[in-house]
Amino acid sequence: IIASQLVVPDEISVNWKDIAGLDYLIQELRETVILPIQKRELFADSRLTQPPKGVLLHGPPGCGKTLIAKATAKEANMSFINLDVSLLTDKWYGETQKLAAAVFSLAVKLQPCIVFIDEIESFLRTRTQHDHEATAMMKTQFMSLWDGLITDPTCTVIIMGATNRPQDLDKAIQRRMPATFHVPMPSDTQRERILQLILRSEPVAPDIDFKRLASSTEGFSGSDLHELCRQAAVYRVRDLAREEMAREMNENQSAQNNTTDSDEEYVD
Ligand code: ATP
């Protein structure tokens, strides 16, 4: 199960160039996450400069959190495990316990490695008295495995969580994620950059006005913009396909007419 969620650096298909409008965030990630991995001997020297073992990306859906997590792994030459939290919550406790231990042990084997957990709050939300006993034990086990990484200065495994609801995260989890980044809804300028990136190798009209497109898509996330461009591209191809079909039908029709004409001549 875990192997199917694992991507080694060579197979990660995105990098910084696939992210538009978030240069400041990329710079922060370079300094906070990547530099300590690449220059581990310098950072691991003191307890005060330990690289973060937990990173939280928070912000509205579709604004690039998964993209950023994958690109960070690619740029830092780290393996990437995309941990589907439903695997840790759907199964019987004994199984999830083994699975959680297996994820951490695989990550350690593959280090440097990022374990990405989307919607981390759904699994590690604030504990309540109403928590099912198995859920509470799962969380405790997860945190103790995580602490194993934190206390080992030589370990280069990072748990990178993403959430739209950071306020729902357990405080104990928040403390384990000292590096926290907000990935916001894109501004006008950011939407302009994202549109330029999405359409960079598409056959767009020479007079396309990216500024106008950006200002008329207020409230769109990066994912919405991608969907908008996809639909526009599909409409264009459909138009072309329709025109081509109509042309082919006309050609067939006139070929048929010619055949009928010549048949008639033959009969005569
Ligand atoms: P969710 O919270 O729903 O999981 P997310 O924040 O993880 O969403 P992604 O899955 O990373 O969002 O982004 C979805 C898609 O939107 C990307 O694959 C990409 O096509 C596009 N996208 C989003 N933000 C950007 C951006 N800043 N630059 C380029 N593309 C973007």
Side-chain angles (χ1 to χ4, degrees):
I1 294 173
I2 310 164
S4 68
Q5 322 260 331
L6 161 75
V7 199
V8 291
D10 281 352
E11 288 167 9
I12 301 175
S13 56
V14 293
N15 59 32
W16 295 145
K17 291 201 184 83
D18 297 295
I19 302 174
L22 293 171
D23 300 355
Y24 66 97
L25 194 59
I26 291 175
Q27 187 54 28
E28 280 281 311
L29 282 161
R30 272 204 182 110
E31 306 255 317
T32 324
V33 181
I34 299 186
L35 201 59
I37 295 285
Q38 289 176 337
K39 291 285 160 207
R40 189 154 53 104
E41 47 320 328
L42 295 178
F43 284 83
D45 217 25
S46 148
R47 286 176 69 85
L48 297 173
T49 55
Q50 290 295 307
K53 302 285 171 58
V55 174
L56 182 66
L57 303 171
H58 65 94
C63 291
K65 297 185 292 296
T66 309
L67 203 58
I68 290 168
K70 284 191 180 153
T72 306
K74 177 75 179 178
E75 300 286 344
N77 207 22
M78 298 170 88
S79 297
F80 187 83
I81 298 175
N82 196 346
L83 181 61
D84 177 354
V85 280
S86 67
L87 293 176
L88 295 181
T89 48
D90 282 357
K91 300 246 164 38
W92 296 107
Y93 176 61
E95 269 185 61
T96 57
Q97 211 182 13
K98 277 190 221 143
L99 193 62
V103 170
F104 278 80
S105 123
L106 180 65
V108 168
K109 274 208 184 85
L110 293 166
Q111 61 179 303
C113 179
I114 288 180
V115 179
F116 179 65
I117 311 177
D118 200 5
E119 296 182 15
I120 190 170
E121 85 293 345
S122 66
F123 162 54
L124 297 169
R125 64 171 58 244
T126 309
R127 279 172 282 190
T128 68
Q129 287 180 329
H130 310 295
D131 267 0
H132 194 276
E133 193 192 346
T135 316
M137 283 167 84
M138 180 69 234
K139 282 186 200 167
T140 311
Q141 186 215 2
F142 195 90
M143 283 195 245
S144 96
L145 287 165
W146 196 345
D147 288 341
L149 307 179
I150 294 171
T151 48
D152 177 356
T154 61
C155 174
T156 47
V157 174
I158 296 176
I159 306 292
M160 193 175 271
T163 181
N164 313 326
R165 306 183 54 82
Q167 70 278 12
D168 288 354
L169 261 185
D170 195 311
K171 289 275 174 294
I173 296 299
Q174 290 182 22
R175 275 198 302 279
R176 286 167 175 79
M177 302 180 124
T180 297
F181 302 95
H182 181 49
V183 187
M185 280 296 275
S187 65
D188 257 34
T189 327
Q190 285 167 321
R191 287 197 302 281
E192 191 180 333
R193 299 254 165 77
I194 295 172
L195 285 162
Q196 282 166 343
L197 180 73
I198 296 170
L199 297 173
R200 68 190 184 278
S201 42
E202 297 294 331
V204 294
D207 59 347
I208 184 169
D209 185 347
F210 282 104
K211 264 201 177 18
R212 220 184 100 224
L213 269 179
S215 62
S216 55
T217 48
E218 189 165 355
F220 279 51
S221 66
S223 172
D224 297 332
L225 292 174
H226 191 270
E227 181 54 19
L228 180 74
C229 294
R230 192 193 66 77
Q231 286 190 17
V234 168
Y235 281 135
R236 182 183 153 273
V237 175
R238 266 192 217 152
D239 283 348
L240 288 175
R242 248 187 253 118
E243 279 166 25
E244 208 170 296
M245 294 257 294
R247 205 176 42 247
E248 280 166 12
M249 272 168 67
N250 278 342
E251 280 167 12
N252 285 346
Q253 191 66 49
S254 43
Q256 255 178 16
N257 289 346
N258 286 343
T259 322
T260 320
D261 288 352
S262 54
D263 283 354
E264 277 165 9
E265 272 167 32
Y266 181 75
V267 171
D268 279 344

